[in-house]
Amino acid sequence: MRYDDFVPPTSRTGRRPVLAAVALAGVCLTVAGCGGGPLPGDPKGGTSRPPAPASPGTPSPRPSSPGTTGPSAASTSARPEPAARGPLTGRTVVIDPGHNPGNREHTREINRQVAIGNGRKECDTTGTATDAGYAEALFTLDVSRRLRTLLEEKGARVVLTQDDDRPFGPCVDERARIGNAAGADAVVSVHADGSATGNRGFHVILPAAVSEGGADTTKIVAPSRELGERIAGNFVRVTGSAPSNYIGGGTGLDTRDDLGGLNLSTVPKVFIECGNMRDPRDAALLTAASWRQKAALGIADGIGSYLKR
C-alpha cells in the first residue's frame, strides 16, 4: 500500500479504527510516540498557564524555548517565495497556530465572548503548558513555522493566522475568517493538550454539521473529514505516535460542534492535538525539536495527500 494514498478509516462510519489499519500497513506504533487531545469540557486547554519562554526564532524579550532550531527559526519578515514548481503549486494552505504567547497578558480581551454560530465562546484562551513551563502557544508556533517551510517547498502559498506578530489572539471567529478570506484549499489549526497524566495519543478534531446563527458547515464536513483522516494516517506514519487513548475511541478522530474556528469555517478545516503537555512522556516529545519536525512533516504529508487526491 502506498502510504501517501492511505486514508485511515473511522469507527463513526463503521470502518476499522486507525490503529488497526495502520498495523495492517506494516507501520510500527510506539507508546513513546503518543500525543494528546483537548481537555474534556474545555474549548481548548484552559485559561491559565505559567510564564512562557520565547517564541522560537522570533525576536522577543522572552527567554528562549527548548530546541528552537531548523525551519522553525524562519523570520516573520522577508519570507521566501514558495517554490516556483511543486506538487502543491497553485494551492493555498492556512495554518492556524493555536493561542498566542501574548494572550496571558491580555486576559480581559481574550475572555470577551464571540458568536460561534450555535452559541458564544471566549475570543481565545491562553492554552496549556508542560509542568516545566513550555507553553502550548510556543509549541504551536514552532510546529506551524516548520509546517509552513515544508509546504512552501512543495509550492503551496501558506498563510499563518498569527506569527507572534500581534499582542493577542486572533479571536476564534477571526481565525475562521482568515481561512475563508484566503480561499484556502485546506486549513489546519495546530494545538497540544493539557489533560491528565496518563492520557496520551494525538487526535484530529473534525467539524460537526452546524447550520445556525451564521454558521454553516454543511459543505465542509465531508472534505474536512477526508483532510483529517489523511493527516491522522500520515501523522502515525511519520511520528510513530498512536491515536489518543482517551478521545476518539482509538480512531485518532473526534467530531465537535463547539469550536468557533470550525463552526465558522467555509473551507475544509481541522484541528490537530499533537500531544498532552501534562503527561511527562508526551512532554518529552513535545519539547524536542526533532520530534516537532516529525510532527510538522506528518501534518504536511497529510495535507499534501489530501490536496493531490
Side-chain angles (χ1 to χ4, degrees):
M1 177 185 295
R2 284 192 57 197
Y3 211 98
D4 283 349
D5 299 326
F6 173 64
V7 180
T10 75
S11 61
R12 294 180 186 273
T13 55
R15 307 174 199 155
R16 288 170 295 180
V18 172
L19 193 58
V22 172
L24 290 173
V27 178
C28 178
L29 303 179
T30 63
V31 174
C34 294
L39 189 61
D42 187 328
K44 231 330 287 136
T47 57
S48 64
R49 81 177 198 204
S55 174
T58 302
S60 169
R62 307 180 187 103
S64 53
S65 61
T68 56
T69 59
S72 66
S75 171
T76 58
S77 61
R79 290 290 311 152
E81 291 295 321
R85 289 183 179 274
L88 301 185
T89 298
R91 298 289 200 164
T92 297
V93 178
V94 171
I95 306 169
D96 180 27
H99 314 289
N100 182 314
N103 278 1
R104 65 190 176 89
E105 299 165 359
H106 295 273
T107 54
R108 182 175 61 84
E109 291 90 343
I110 67 170
N111 284 336
R112 177 174 63 88
Q113 298 281 302
V114 299
I116 64 167
N118 57 1
R120 299 182 70 82
K121 276 289 186 68
E122 295 88 351
C123 156
D124 203 5
T125 57
T126 59
T128 187
T130 66
D131 290 341
Y134 180 48
E136 179 188 1
L138 300 180
F139 169 84
T140 66
L141 276 170
D142 184 84
V143 172
S144 295
R145 289 167 176 166
R146 294 171 186 272
L147 177 55
R148 173 175 60 188
T149 298
L150 292 167
L151 292 171
E152 287 179 341
E153 288 173 350
K154 296 182 179 183
R157 171 179 172 256
V158 180
V159 177
L160 264 62
T161 59
Q162 60 95 7
D163 199 2
D164 199 16
D165 52 358
R166 53 191 295 163
F168 64 91
C171 293
V172 294
D173 55 343
E174 183 183 352
R175 290 174 187 266
R177 288 196 298 271
I178 291 170
N180 299 344
D185 296 292
V187 184
V188 177
S189 189
V190 179
H191 288 269
D193 189 28
S195 189
T197 298
N199 286 345
R200 307 193 65 203
F202 81 93
H203 76 270
V204 179
I205 304 174
L206 313 174
V210 175
S211 182
E212 58 181 298
D216 186 359
T217 62
T218 306
K219 294 181 179 179
I220 70 162
V221 167
S224 296
R225 173 169 287 275
E226 182 174 356
L227 172 63
E229 289 175 342
R230 289 178 181 266
I231 289 174
N234 282 277
F235 200 81
V236 169
R237 175 179 63 84
V238 176
T239 67
S241 295
S244 169
N245 64 6
Y246 65 107
I247 295 272
T251 66
L253 301 169
D254 185 41
T255 301
R256 290 177 62 172
D257 67 358
D258 63 330
L259 299 176
L262 295 180
N263 289 1
L264 301 174
S265 183
T266 59
V267 293
K269 181 173 182 178
V270 299
F271 282 45
I272 182 165
E273 296 281 356
C274 297
N276 178 15
M277 301 194 107
R278 294 295 181 165
D279 179 86
R281 290 183 293 175
D282 273 10
L285 298 175
L286 298 168
T287 55
S290 59
W291 190 89
R292 294 198 299 272
Q293 184 66 21
K294 290 180 182 179
L297 180 58
I299 299 169
D301 284 356
I303 294 171
S305 174
Y306 169 76
L307 294 179
K308 291 184 288 184
R309 73 199 191 286

